[in-house]
């Protein structure tokens, strides 16, 4: 894809890309609506404290992990147009609940539910992969994610102005947050009527089952089960943090642990139920894929997106204390992470498209992250401020470029389960954030950067040994197996024999 194509708005493919990053932008605009208004909230609500805000920040990512898994399953079955539109509209409900909540219970529950909107990311990944061929999917996915992520930065800029200037008064923050809910509803309706799941004439590839990811061998099934365990573990870690903040009792913590255990057992049961019949019948050679490629990309997103969320959370305070800056100056420096996203993530996808080996690009970025974070560990008050900023920005470019490179590979692993693969990798990004932020509370900033660097280098080694170069990585069409084609024929047959499946054209 060439840059000039981004301005060809009459092109259905380009228009779908812009509408999809717009949907992601709105979801992040709503998801991060609390942080820029937290000070105003504490000042206007007499009983609300900074400890409450810290607990709400934890809740803000709590359900994102399971939601990305569930949404990945749903979009593989029902298509991204329906799922994205409905997700935006439904998430307006907890947004309004939070905006006008007057008790801790209301704020607690609504923020917990609203954290599910973070799953919106994986929906657009599948939509973009349907509209762009392998040779240009990396740049398109990077552009989608980079510009969509910018919704959080716009929320930080716009919402305080809305709360203080546009609405004003002690209740201004409530109307500013409610505004993000209105944006979700409006854009959800627009998206429903403006896009289609695929270009006209193309069949949407669906998995045989959506209850669990399909695998190709018994060994891969064991790997899938093992990689499912940390997803529940991260939620347990979040609960433990809430207990330490004294917002969850010890008894409640153990109840949550029991629920997580039951859910984990259920998910493992689903993995067995979906895959044992498939494996007994035998998987055709052309339909096989190696789960280790999914695992490798889980590690990259854990190490890059997890590190990004953790660094963004601590960077303002780090610069403020290290260089004795004003809060405004420290915040401005920290905001460079969000602004770099606009070009660094598309750049990572673009390089993945243009280089002969996508694996090489992935390795380059992961090694760059580990080197950059290693350098940041040595930042102290004796450094020139401009040098510290330069190292931070360079590290940010590697981190977000690696995110783009990760999702340039994901649609190429197994097309019909792209939603589930991206859901799992995306969830591991949040697992990384939970783990790293927990570690941050226990160590010095310098040690923290060393740990982040070690995580990135560990991912580099994992990819070096286990990530394969995807088939047809720069082709005009995605690799489809005999099973994919049979499922497509069955889908078309059902549409012919029964009620015709809904298919909007992109020009509608």
């Amino acid at each position: 894809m060439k840059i000039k194509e981004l301005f060809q708005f009459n092109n259905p493919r380009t228009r779908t890309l812009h509408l999809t990053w717009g949907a992601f932008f709105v979801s992040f605009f709503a998801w991060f609506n609390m942080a820029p208004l937290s000070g105003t909230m504490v000042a206007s609500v007499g009983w609300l404290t900074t400890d409450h805000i810290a607990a709400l920040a934890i809740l803000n990512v709590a359900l994102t992990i399971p939601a990305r898994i569930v949404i990945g399953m749903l979009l593989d079955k029902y298509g991204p147009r329906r799922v994205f539109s409905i997700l935006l509209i439904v998430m307006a409900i907890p947004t309004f609940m939070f905006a006008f909540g007057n008790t801790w219970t209301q704020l607690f529950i609504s923020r917990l539910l609203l954290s599910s909107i973070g799953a919106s990311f994986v929906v657009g990944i599948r939509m973009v992969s349907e509209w762009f061929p392998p040779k240009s999917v990396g740049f398109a996915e990077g552009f989608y994610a980079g510009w969509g992520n910018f919704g959080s930065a716009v929320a930080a800029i716009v919402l305080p102005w809305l709360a203080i200037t546009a609405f004003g008064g002690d209740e201004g923050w409530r109307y500013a947050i409610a505004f993000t809910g209105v944006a979700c509803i409006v854009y959800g309706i627009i998206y429903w009527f403006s896009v289609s799941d695929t270009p006209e004439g193309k069949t949407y590839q669906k998995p045989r089952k959506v209850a669990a990811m399909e695998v190709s061998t018994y060994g891969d099934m064991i790997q899938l089960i093992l990689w499912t365990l940390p997803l529940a573990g991260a939620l347990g870690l979040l609960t433990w943090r809430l207990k330490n903040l004294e917002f969850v009792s010890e008894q409640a913590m153990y109840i949550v642990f029991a629920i997580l255990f039951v859910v984990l057992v259920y998910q493992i049961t689903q993995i067995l139920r979906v895959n044992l019949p498939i494996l007994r019948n035998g998987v055709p050679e052309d339909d096989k894929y190696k789960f280790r490629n999914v695992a490798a990309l889980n590690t990259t997103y854990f190490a890059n997106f997890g590190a990004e969320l953790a660094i963004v959370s601590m960077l303002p305070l780090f610069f403020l204390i290290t260089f004795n800056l004003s809060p405004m100056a420290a915040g401005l420096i920290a905001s460079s992470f969000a602004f770099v996203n606009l070009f660094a993530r598309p750049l990572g996808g673009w390089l993945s498209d243009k280089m002969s080996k996508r694996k090489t690009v992935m390795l380059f970025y992961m090694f760059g992250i580990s080197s950059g974070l290693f350098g940041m560990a040595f930042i102290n008050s004796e450094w020139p401020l401009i040098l510290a900023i330069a190292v931070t920005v360079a590290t940010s470019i590697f981190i977000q470029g690696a995110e783009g490179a990760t999702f340039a590979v994901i649609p190429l692993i197994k097309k019909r389960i792209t939603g589930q693969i991206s859901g799992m990798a995306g969830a591991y990004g949040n697992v990384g954030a939970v783990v790293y932020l927990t570690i941050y509370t226990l160590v010095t900033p310098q040690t923290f950067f060393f740990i982040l660097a070690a995580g990135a280098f560990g991912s580099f080694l994992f990819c070096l040994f286990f990530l394969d170069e995807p088939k047809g990585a720069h082709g005009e069409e995605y690799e489809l197996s005999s099973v994919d084609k049979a499922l497509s024929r069955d889908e078309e047959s059902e549409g012919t024999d029964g009620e015709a499946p809904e298919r909007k054209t992109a020009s509608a």
Side-chain angles (χ1 to χ4, degrees):
M1 184 180 186
K2 298 179 180 179
I3 299 296
K4 66 179 182 180
E5 291 182 56
L6 293 174
F7 303 97
Q8 296 173 354
F9 299 104
N10 290 329
N11 184 329
R13 188 171 72 175
T14 300
R15 190 164 62 248
T16 299
L17 175 61
H18 287 303
L19 286 166
T20 302
W21 77 254
F24 185 36
F25 178 99
V26 170
S27 68
F28 263 51
F29 185 65
W31 189 18
F32 291 95
N33 59 17
M34 183 190 74
L37 298 173
S38 56
T40 305
M41 291 171 61
V42 171
S44 65
V45 181
W47 54 266
L48 202 62
T49 67
T50 54
D51 285 340
H52 286 102
I53 296 298
L56 290 172
I58 295 172
L59 293 168
N60 202 43
V61 298
L63 292 187
T64 305
I65 295 171
R68 287 189 169 187
I69 301 296
V70 173
I71 290 296
M73 295 174 180
L74 292 175
L75 76 94
D76 278 345
K77 181 175 183 179
Y78 297 108
R81 179 180 70 90
R82 290 187 180 92
V83 173
F84 221 149
S85 299
I86 293 173
L87 179 65
L88 283 172
I89 294 170
V90 169
M91 285 297 102
I93 298 173
T95 303
F96 294 140
M97 287 174 58
F98 185 82
F100 300 108
N102 290 310
T103 68
W104 171 242
T105 300
Q106 291 172 333
L107 296 182
F108 186 105
I109 294 174
S110 59
R111 204 74 222 174
L112 181 65
L113 294 176
L114 184 56
S115 67
S116 299
I117 201 172
S120 59
F121 169 68
V122 303
V123 188
I125 291 295
R126 179 71 197 256
M127 175 64 92
V128 173
S129 72
E130 291 298 323
W131 280 86
F132 288 83
K135 66 178 184 179
S136 59
V137 73
F139 176 77
E141 297 283 19
F143 185 86
Y144 154 75
W147 282 75
N149 264 318
F150 197 61
S152 61
V154 173
I157 297 169
V158 172
L159 293 183
W161 177 84
L162 283 175
I164 298 170
T165 304
F167 295 116
D170 291 341
E171 301 293 294
W173 68 269
R174 296 185 182 276
Y175 295 106
I177 287 178
F179 174 80
T180 68
V182 173
C184 285
I185 293 175
V186 171
Y187 204 91
I189 295 171
I190 291 172
Y191 198 74
W192 179 279
F193 290 104
S194 301
V195 302
S196 62
D197 291 331
T198 64
E200 188 173 3
K202 180 182 177 183
T203 302
Y204 186 74
Q205 298 292 330
K206 297 182 179 180
R208 284 174 287 196
K209 302 287 184 180
V210 296
M213 191 184 299
E214 299 175 28
V215 294
S216 302
T217 67
Y218 287 101
D220 283 356
M221 185 173 67
I222 293 173
Q223 289 185 60
L224 174 58
I225 291 172
L226 292 175
W227 280 90
T228 301
L229 301 180
L231 301 177
L235 293 173
L237 187 58
L238 280 173
T239 307
W240 174 77
R241 288 180 66 197
L242 285 170
K243 185 261 181 186
N244 284 352
L245 287 169
E246 299 182 350
F247 286 105
V248 171
S249 67
E250 186 170 352
Q251 181 181 14
M253 180 181 72
Y254 286 120
I255 291 173
V256 173
F257 286 169
I259 293 172
L260 290 174
F261 178 76
V262 171
V263 171
L264 182 61
V265 171
Y266 172 77
Q267 187 57 37
I268 292 173
T269 302
Q270 292 295 91
I271 292 172
L272 296 173
R273 186 179 68 82
V274 167
N275 284 291
L276 285 176
I278 294 174
L279 296 174
R280 290 194 193 105
N281 291 332
V283 179
E285 282 299 319
D286 70 340
D287 194 50
K288 289 182 178 179
Y289 77 99
K290 296 177 181 177
F291 183 81
R292 70 186 195 185
N293 292 305
V294 179
L297 298 172
N298 289 346
T299 71
T300 65
Y301 216 58
F302 179 101
N304 55 48
F305 187 68
E308 178 188 347
L309 290 184
I311 291 171
V312 166
S313 300
M314 56 79 66
L315 201 59
L317 183 62
F318 174 73
F319 269 94
L320 186 146
I321 294 174
T322 303
F323 294 99
N324 195 27
L325 302 175
S326 68
M328 183 176 295
L332 185 62
I333 293 171
S335 69
S336 63
F337 257 76
F339 284 94
V340 164
N341 224 337
L342 291 174
F343 71 88
R345 193 155 181 163
L347 177 62
W350 181 82
L351 285 175
S352 188
D353 290 340
K354 295 303 178 183
M355 299 292 285
S356 59
K357 300 290 185 182
R358 292 187 187 268
K359 177 179 178 178
T360 302
V361 176
M362 193 76 259
L363 292 173
F364 165 76
Y365 271 112
M366 295 313 299
F367 188 80
I369 293 174
S370 60
S371 301
L373 290 169
F374 185 79
M376 289 183 70
F378 291 96
I379 295 176
N380 58 46
S381 58
E382 297 179 1
W383 278 44
L385 179 59
I386 189 65
L387 179 59
I389 295 173
V391 171
T392 300
V393 170
T395 304
S396 176
I397 290 172
F398 276 109
I399 287 175
Q400 291 170 77
E403 294 166 7
T406 296
F407 280 89
V409 176
I410 281 177
L412 302 168
I413 294 177
K414 192 67 182 169
K415 188 67 174 69
R416 69 173 181 265
I417 57 171
T418 295
Q420 293 176 76
I421 295 173
S422 61
M424 187 174 217
Y428 261 91
N430 288 90
V431 171
V434 171
V435 171
Y436 286 145
L437 284 171
T438 302
I439 292 173
Y440 176 65
T441 63
L442 306 173
V443 299
T444 65
Q446 285 71 27
T447 302
F448 179 64
F449 286 126
F450 277 128
I451 292 171
L452 293 180
F457 190 70
S459 176
F460 167 82
L461 292 177
F462 197 101
C463 291
L464 179 65
F465 292 109
F466 298 113
L467 180 63
D468 298 318
E469 181 67 19
K471 297 178 181 178
H474 299 87
E476 292 286 348
E477 298 291 341
Y478 291 92
E479 294 277 331
L480 297 180
S481 69
S482 56
V483 174
D484 292 323
K485 295 172 183 176
L487 290 171
S488 294
R489 287 194 296 270
D490 291 344
E491 184 75 14
E492 292 171 357
S493 176
E494 289 177 7
T496 302
D497 297 339
E499 184 179 352
E502 180 182 4
R503 180 172 300 282
K504 282 166 52 67
T505 63
S507 58

